[in-house]
Structures are given as structure tokens and as C-alpha cells.
Amino acid sequence: MSNSSLNISQTQNKLTLNFSGELTLFTFTAHQKTVDSSTLFNSQEVEINLENLSYLDTAGALFLDSLYENLSKKSHTVLFIASNQEITETLNLVKNKKDNTAEIKTQDEKDVISLIGKFTYKNYIGFLSFIAFLGELFATKMHYLKSIRNIRYKEIAFEINESGVKAIGIIALTSFLIGLVVAYQSAYQLKIYGANIFIVDMLGISILRELSPLITAIVIAGRSGSAFTAQIGAMKITEELDAMRTMGFSPYRFLVLPRIIALMITMPILIFISDISAIIGGMLVANLDLKITTELFIDRFNEVVAAKHFFIGILKGPFFAFLIATIGIYRGLMVKNDTQSIGFNTTKSVVESIFAVIVCDAIFSIMFTNLGI
Amino acid sequence: MKKIIQVQNVKTIFEDKIVHDGLNLSINEGEIYGLLGPSGCGKTTLLREMVMLQNIHYGDIDILGHSLSSISVDEAQGLRKKWGVLFQAGALFSSLSIAENIALPLKEYTDLSQKMINEIVKFKINIVGLKVEDAHLYPSQISGGMKKKAGLARALAMDPKLLFLDEPTSGLDPISARDFDALILELRSLLGLSIVMVSHDLQSIYDTLDRVAIIDEKKIVYEGNLANMKESDSSFIKTFFGKYNE
């Protein structure tokens, strides 16, 4: 398809570049190489002959124009010979519209120090905005709980149904399986020592105190935390949040507080359900594998597992719920005006809330142990 | 004429970019006022500052006698009940039907009976040219033009005297856009509204606006009526309105 050619001829003081055929963006690279490698440019006068050119596109014209400028810079006299009107028009267009004043900015150089600086600053700002969110949350809470009429019972009930009642099945099933697995693994070890009955102590304390609250929190973080982020993020993109604000409906009152309150109410109940089903799972294994009857299991449970373990587990519920709900909602409010950031923030919301729950659990663990509870 | 909005020396800065560098303008009661300018000049930002969605960094905006830089929470809440805002895509609450969307402010802010609210909703639906038969539909089930009309009906639900419109005709076909212009003019005379709008639609600008402010290069380059605009020597005005003025 390349039917374009370049002839270079020299007469005395004059160099003639003879272009013919079509000079387009598909064809001029070869000529560029020829011209660049040419050592012939020692004559004062250069003539660019376009008489035989059948077609010139803007890329070709740009090539000719930069050739012209290069040569002019080296104090050659350059002369274009062209009579075809279309070709001269293209050349003039390129000449007039070419912008040499500004360069397209390339991405900032990736220098390690500035990357660390930017990363730190970004995280610092993110942390500050989360603190600001908590502050605003607290301020709105104070403002709206001034009167009992301000509480949105309907929304709270709706959220309790959405993130509490509908989660009972999955939480019961997960906890049941966790109880089963823990009991099965320890039964094998206990049998070696003939310490079968101690499975009750082990299951009772570990499940009530640690496993149930954690499992419940993780399931809820994945289920409700992500839902909060996605719902609120989508509302932000469609300007629904702005619309609410201009109508004087504070999103904190209508969306944020009901979700947080609902989750703080449901979490302890869900932990209780998780306790029951995990213990049932453990009891089943004890019965089948270690030949401990249900009556014996319950008797022993009554005897060795103090009620404080149960209450500690339940007490963790509202704290975990607060962390999951605030992080989920905060991430939703951080969604920018593009769809990608919904995905990004939903991921962040789940990861951050699970992390926060585990950190919180560790703090509780140390605290209660030191207090001797 | 009474001034209902006064923007005084407003400066807006986003990170390291100056958007507004000292804007001054005033809007009179009963007029349809346009904020115009090239894209990215901060028209919508100024509108968002007026409706308290965005903080003002320097300067002040005075709306209906309230200074936005020093407004209390309760005053702000009262002010919000006195205006209506129509967003570009309607911003209807997706979990509520059209009728519920319009009824929401009435339900929250008044102690009207459900029957009365229904009457009001039906009236607002009629006044913006929607069909009452469509009132039970959800935002995802209706067209863009209907969403705008429903959004307008919701903005009018509390009978505000002040209406903010963000690109009311964008995304509408030319016929619906002209209908919408006519609707805005009709509502203005019917309800005695003052309207502030951001627009790009030339036809709509000439058909509806009484006065305009043109923002370019971070400043107001022109404020006044459309007829005198030719005398301005802003390059934006020349290119944007050039053809029309010939």
C-alpha cells in the first residue's frame, strides 16, 4: 500500500527533496529515517517539492512542517513547491494550529521519597476525615437525641430486619459448623489423654468468650458492612444524599444513626444465637465421638463454665457493631463521583472493619485478663 | 426590587486550584437568574455553595436574610424548607415511588393527614405535567424527562418561593426541553417563584432568563440582562453567544 517515495537530488548549492505518491501517517516513517540519516544537508538551499504528491494528511504535514523547522534552525533556506490547493491548505492548517508553547505533562517522576510522602499524607488526611466523621456523628447524635421524637423507629426496625433477622440463618449455620470443627479437632487430642470430659470446659470458654463474637462480627462485616457502603455510595453517586441535604434531611439522622443503632441492638442477639448453635455443634461431636451424653454435657457445662464468659462475649457485640457500621458508612460517604470507587470502598470497608474488630478484640482480651475477669 | 440572594466576594479553592476569585452578584426577587460560563468554570460549585452543600472558603453568601458563613444549625434547617432544588438527573430517592418522593417533605415537616398529603401530591404532579396514573412508579421505571418533572414536583412540594435548578434541560430532547422551559416560565408566573439556574442550553437561556451572571477566568465577567451582553468583550461571550447576536 506504500506507494509513496522520496527522491533526493543535489545540484550545486541546491538540495531537492522530491516527494511523490501519498504522504500519510502510514508512509512517512521510512522517509523520516532517510532524511534523518542523510548527510547531504550541506547545501545552503533546500527545496521540498510536493508537485507529485497526490495526497497529504495532517500527520504527513506535521512531518513536513517539523522538517522545515529543523532545517530553518540550521540556517538553511527552505522552499516548498506545491501547487495543489488541498495540500497547501493542509500544510497551512498544521502550521497555524500547531502548538509549540506547551508540552504534554508526563506523570510525575516516581521518586521514592515523594511517593512515601504522598502515601503518608494521603493516609493522614484519610485518618483526619474519619475523625471528622466521628465528630459529626457525635454532634448529630447529641442534636437529634435531644427529643425522643427525633428517633427514626421505622428505619431502625427496617435495618434490624435487614441486617439482623435476615442474618440469623447464615450465622447459626456458620457457628454450628465452627463448633463442630473445633470439637472434632480437640476430641482427637483429648482422647489420647483420656480427658474426654474436658471438651466441655474448652468449648464453653473458647466459644462463648472469643469465637462466637468474632464469627458473628466477621459475617456481619461481610454482609451488612459491605451493604452499607454500597447503598450509601450509590446514593451519593445519584446525588440522592445532596438532595436530602438540601431538603433539610440530614443523612446522619436518616441513614447513618438508624443503621448504627440497629446494628448495635442486633449484634448481641446474634452473638447469643451464635453461642447456642456453636455449642450444639460441639455437643453433637462430644456425643458421637467421645460418648458424652447430652445430660452429662449440660451438667458439666453448668459446673465449669462461669456466666462471666457469656457476658463478656455479649458485651463485645455493641462495640463490634459500632466499628462495623461506622466504617461501612464512612466508606460509603467517601465514594467519589465514579462507579469504580464503589468497588474500591466496599472492599476497603470489609477489610478495615474486620481488621478493626480483631484489634478491638485483642484490646478486650488484654483488658479483661489484666482485670482478672 | 428586593434582593433575595447576595454573593459577596466569594473565593473557592480546591486543593491547589482556585475556582472562584472574588465573585459578587445579586439576585432580585421574582426573576429567573442564570449562572453561565464555560464548563469547569465553577457554576455548579457556586450553586452548591448557595444551597449549603459546599463550604465557602472566603466571602459570604446572603440568602433570604441569612448569612451562610455564620448560620446556625436551626436557622439552616429553617432555610432549607424555604427553597427547592432540582438536580441534574432528578436525584429522586430510588427506594420511594414518585408519589412518595413528593410526599416525603410533607410527611416529615408537617402534620397533615395522609388524605391531604395525597391531594397536595396530586396537585404537584398535575402542575408539572406528569400523569397521576404514573405516580406509583419508581424512579428506575420512568424516563429522564419524567424524572426531571418528578424532581421539580418534589422541589415544589413545600411551596418554596426560591428554586434552584442545575441544568434543567440537559439530557432532554429539544421538544421536551422547550416544554420544560415553558413549564418553568408558567410556574414562575403561577407561583411567584424566584429561580436560579445553571444552564448550557442557548435556546433555554434566551427563552427563560431575565438576568445572567457569566463566570469566566474565576471572575464574573458580566452581570445583567441578555440584551446588553453584546457590549462585553469577554471571549467566552463572543464565542458562545456570537452566532446568536449576529
mmCIF file of all heavy atoms in Angstrom, chain A residues 137-147 150, chain B residues 73-74 77:
data_model
loop_
_atom_site.group_PDB
_atom_site.id
_atom_site.type_symbol
_atom_site.label_atom_id
_atom_site.label_comp_id
_atom_site.label_asym_id
_atom_site.label_seq_id
_atom_site.Cartn_x
_atom_site.Cartn_y
_atom_site.Cartn_z
ATOM 1 N N LEU A 137 -20.766 12.674 63.569
ATOM 2 C CA LEU A 137 -21.710 11.668 64.039
ATOM 3 C C LEU A 137 -22.126 11.966 65.473
ATOM 4 O O LEU A 137 -23.315 11.951 65.821
ATOM 5 C CB LEU A 137 -21.033 10.296 63.962
ATOM 6 C CG LEU A 137 -21.853 9.097 64.403
ATOM 7 C CD1 LEU A 137 -22.982 8.890 63.430
ATOM 8 C CD2 LEU A 137 -20.978 7.868 64.473
ATOM 9 N N PHE A 138 -21.144 12.270 66.318
ATOM 10 C CA PHE A 138 -21.416 12.539 67.722
ATOM 11 C C PHE A 138 -22.261 13.808 67.869
ATOM 12 O O PHE A 138 -23.236 13.836 68.626
ATOM 13 C CB PHE A 138 -20.094 12.677 68.475
ATOM 14 C CG PHE A 138 -20.276 12.729 69.961
ATOM 15 C CD1 PHE A 138 -20.638 11.590 70.671
ATOM 16 C CD2 PHE A 138 -20.109 13.917 70.650
ATOM 17 C CE1 PHE A 138 -20.814 11.638 72.037
ATOM 18 C CE2 PHE A 138 -20.286 13.981 72.012
ATOM 19 C CZ PHE A 138 -20.641 12.833 72.714
ATOM 20 N N ALA A 139 -21.869 14.850 67.084
ATOM 21 C CA ALA A 139 -22.595 16.119 67.173
ATOM 22 C C ALA A 139 -24.053 15.944 66.754
ATOM 23 O O ALA A 139 -24.973 16.425 67.425
ATOM 24 C CB ALA A 139 -21.918 17.169 66.310
ATOM 25 N N THR A 140 -24.270 15.208 65.626
ATOM 26 C CA THR A 140 -25.657 14.989 65.197
ATOM 27 C C THR A 140 -26.416 14.177 66.221
ATOM 28 O O THR A 140 -27.599 14.422 66.467
ATOM 29 C CB THR A 140 -25.737 14.208 63.861
ATOM 30 O OG1 THR A 140 -24.448 14.030 63.359
ATOM 31 C CG2 THR A 140 -26.609 14.912 62.872
ATOM 32 N N LYS A 141 -25.726 13.206 66.797
ATOM 33 C CA LYS A 141 -26.399 12.372 67.795
ATOM 34 C C LYS A 141 -26.898 13.231 68.942
ATOM 35 O O LYS A 141 -28.052 13.136 69.348
ATOM 36 C CB LYS A 141 -25.406 11.318 68.309
ATOM 37 C CG LYS A 141 -26.061 10.226 69.120
ATOM 38 C CD LYS A 141 -25.035 9.378 69.821
ATOM 39 C CE LYS A 141 -24.571 10.092 71.060
ATOM 40 N NZ LYS A 141 -23.337 9.559 71.630
ATOM 41 N N MET A 142 -26.025 14.116 69.418
ATOM 42 C CA MET A 142 -26.423 14.986 70.517
ATOM 43 C C MET A 142 -27.598 15.864 70.111
ATOM 44 O O MET A 142 -28.523 16.098 70.871
ATOM 45 C CB MET A 142 -25.255 15.890 70.953
ATOM 46 C CG MET A 142 -24.077 15.155 71.535
ATOM 47 S SD MET A 142 -24.567 13.898 72.691
ATOM 48 C CE MET A 142 -24.712 14.881 74.168
ATOM 49 N N HIS A 143 -27.516 16.352 68.855
ATOM 50 C CA HIS A 143 -28.546 17.277 68.397
ATOM 51 C C HIS A 143 -29.899 16.591 68.255
ATOM 52 O O HIS A 143 -30.938 17.149 68.580
ATOM 53 C CB HIS A 143 -28.121 17.882 67.068
ATOM 54 C CG HIS A 143 -28.964 19.038 66.651
ATOM 55 N ND1 HIS A 143 -29.909 18.942 65.663
ATOM 56 C CD2 HIS A 143 -29.029 20.302 67.111
ATOM 57 C CE1 HIS A 143 -30.514 20.105 65.533
ATOM 58 N NE2 HIS A 143 -29.995 20.953 66.380
ATOM 59 N N TYR A 144 -29.879 15.359 67.772
ATOM 60 C CA TYR A 144 -31.153 14.710 67.467
ATOM 61 C C TYR A 144 -31.727 13.932 68.630
ATOM 62 O O TYR A 144 -32.935 13.736 68.703
ATOM 63 C CB TYR A 144 -31.021 13.818 66.232
ATOM 64 C CG TYR A 144 -31.016 14.662 65.007
ATOM 65 C CD1 TYR A 144 -29.888 14.797 64.230
ATOM 66 C CD2 TYR A 144 -32.143 15.396 64.657
ATOM 67 C CE1 TYR A 144 -29.873 15.626 63.139
ATOM 68 C CE2 TYR A 144 -32.142 16.227 63.572
ATOM 69 C CZ TYR A 144 -31.008 16.339 62.815
ATOM 70 O OH TYR A 144 -31.008 17.162 61.733
ATOM 71 N N LEU A 145 -30.873 13.517 69.555
ATOM 72 C CA LEU A 145 -31.423 12.777 70.684
ATOM 73 C C LEU A 145 -31.943 13.718 71.767
ATOM 74 O O LEU A 145 -32.328 13.288 72.836
ATOM 75 C CB LEU A 145 -30.388 11.799 71.234
ATOM 76 C CG LEU A 145 -29.981 10.716 70.235
ATOM 77 C CD1 LEU A 145 -29.159 9.636 70.907
ATOM 78 C CD2 LEU A 145 -31.196 10.081 69.554
ATOM 79 N N LYS A 146 -31.906 15.035 71.453
ATOM 80 C CA LYS A 146 -32.479 15.995 72.397
ATOM 81 C C LYS A 146 -33.950 15.661 72.645
ATOM 82 O O LYS A 146 -34.457 15.811 73.745
ATOM 83 C CB LYS A 146 -32.349 17.420 71.841
ATOM 84 C CG LYS A 146 -31.116 18.142 72.353
ATOM 85 C CD LYS A 146 -31.217 19.631 72.102
ATOM 86 C CE LYS A 146 -30.890 19.957 70.677
ATOM 87 N NZ LYS A 146 -30.768 21.371 70.396
ATOM 88 N N SER A 147 -34.614 15.261 71.579
ATOM 89 C CA SER A 147 -36.014 14.910 71.739
ATOM 90 C C SER A 147 -36.234 13.478 71.281
ATOM 91 O O SER A 147 -35.701 13.056 70.255
ATOM 92 C CB SER A 147 -36.875 15.859 70.906
ATOM 93 O OG SER A 147 -38.098 15.229 70.628
ATOM 94 N N ASN A 150 -37.364 12.512 67.694
ATOM 95 C CA ASN A 150 -36.467 12.533 66.540
ATOM 96 C C ASN A 150 -35.959 11.159 66.137
ATOM 97 O O ASN A 150 -35.398 10.995 65.066
ATOM 98 C CB ASN A 150 -35.266 13.422 66.839
ATOM 99 C CG ASN A 150 -35.600 14.876 66.647
ATOM 100 O OD1 ASN A 150 -36.402 15.197 65.781
ATOM 101 N ND2 ASN A 150 -35.016 15.730 67.434
ATOM 102 N N VAL B 73 -27.375 25.861 63.102
ATOM 103 C CA VAL B 73 -27.965 24.626 62.598
ATOM 104 C C VAL B 73 -29.481 24.779 62.418
ATOM 105 O O VAL B 73 -30.039 24.371 61.394
ATOM 106 C CB VAL B 73 -27.655 23.452 63.556
ATOM 107 C CG1 VAL B 73 -28.335 22.184 63.090
ATOM 108 C CG2 VAL B 73 -26.167 23.232 63.657
ATOM 109 N N ASP B 74 -30.126 25.397 63.389
ATOM 110 C CA ASP B 74 -31.579 25.514 63.317
ATOM 111 C C ASP B 74 -32.023 26.476 62.229
ATOM 112 O O ASP B 74 -32.987 26.225 61.511
ATOM 113 C CB ASP B 74 -32.139 25.954 64.673
ATOM 114 C CG ASP B 74 -31.973 24.855 65.716
ATOM 115 O OD1 ASP B 74 -32.059 23.675 65.319
ATOM 116 O OD2 ASP B 74 -31.747 25.163 66.888
ATOM 117 N N GLN B 77 -31.681 24.793 58.957
ATOM 118 C CA GLN B 77 -32.781 23.858 58.758
ATOM 119 C C GLN B 77 -34.037 24.602 58.296
ATOM 120 O O GLN B 77 -34.747 24.144 57.399
ATOM 121 C CB GLN B 77 -33.032 23.121 60.083
ATOM 122 C CG GLN B 77 -33.889 21.906 59.977
ATOM 123 C CD GLN B 77 -33.222 20.818 59.176
ATOM 124 O OE1 GLN B 77 -32.089 20.929 58.743
ATOM 125 N NE2 GLN B 77 -33.963 19.749 58.935
#
